[in-house]
Amino acid sequence: MALVNKVDKKAKVSLDEAIKFQILTYCFFNNIQISLSDLNCLHFLALAGNIEMTKFCNIVSEVGVFKSPQSCRNAISKAEKKGLIEKNGNNKKTIKLNSEMNIQIEGPLFLEYKILGVEPEEL
C-alpha cells in the first residue's frame, strides 16, 4: 500500500490564466470567496499595478468586466475588506493588489505547488 497517492498534473496555459490561477489559489487557501467578475477585476489590477482608482474603474467597465465604474468601486471596496487590495492616498486614491499575495505577472512563469492532503485527526 502506498504511503501517499501522488497526482502529477501539467498544463500549458496563457500568462493571463496563470495570473488568475495564482489569485484563485491564494483565495482558496485563505478561505476567501470571490466571483468570476471579482477574479477578472483582480486580474486586471495585477496587470495594471499601482493605479488611480477612478481611472482603473473606467477601464474595467469599458472592457466589460462590470457594467459601470460604480460596480467596479463596489467590488474594490469588497476586495479591500477581504484583504486582497491595498489603497493609498487621500483624494485620488491609488490601488494595487495586496503585496502579500505575491502574484507574479511577468512570463514565462513556471508555477509549482506541492500540496499534501491529509485526513483530519479525530478528537
Side-chain angles (χ1 to χ4, degrees):
M1 183 168 125
L3 294 175
V4 178
N5 292 322
K6 182 178 178 186
V7 177
D8 190 18
K9 296 200 179 232
K10 296 177 184 178
K12 185 176 181 179
V13 298
S14 70
L15 185 57
D16 288 331
E17 290 171 323
I19 294 168
K20 289 179 183 182
F21 178 80
Q22 291 174 83
I23 295 168
L24 278 175
T25 303
Y26 178 87
C27 290
F28 177 80
F29 284 115
N30 288 283
N31 233 2
I32 300 171
Q33 293 183 351
I34 60 171
S35 68
L36 184 57
S37 296
D38 294 339
L39 175 62
N40 289 329
C41 180
L42 293 171
H43 168 249
F44 276 107
L45 186 56
L47 294 174
N50 198 21
I51 188 170
E52 196 266 315
M53 187 163 78
T54 303
K55 179 180 177 183
F56 177 75
C57 289
N58 288 334
I59 292 169
V60 169
S61 65
E62 286 172 10
V63 297
V65 174
F66 294 107
K67 291 184 179 182
S68 70
Q70 183 60 49
S71 297
C72 180
R73 284 191 289 278
N74 293 344
I76 288 170
S77 177
K78 187 171 66 172
E80 183 187 23
K81 289 176 185 171
K82 293 178 179 180
L84 299 173
I85 290 180
E86 298 173 355
K87 283 185 184 176
N88 295 315
N90 291 331
N91 191 10
K92 290 201 174 224
K93 291 188 174 155
T94 59
I95 55 174
K96 66 177 184 173
L97 277 187
N98 186 337
S99 52
E100 290 179 10
M101 292 174 71
N102 194 24
I103 304 298
Q104 303 300 310
I105 61 167
E106 295 178 5
L109 284 177
F110 179 77
L111 302 173
E112 185 172 49
Y113 292 84
K114 295 185 187 258
I115 302 165
L116 177 63
V118 296
E119 293 289 333
E121 294 182 28
E122 294 189 29
L123 300 175

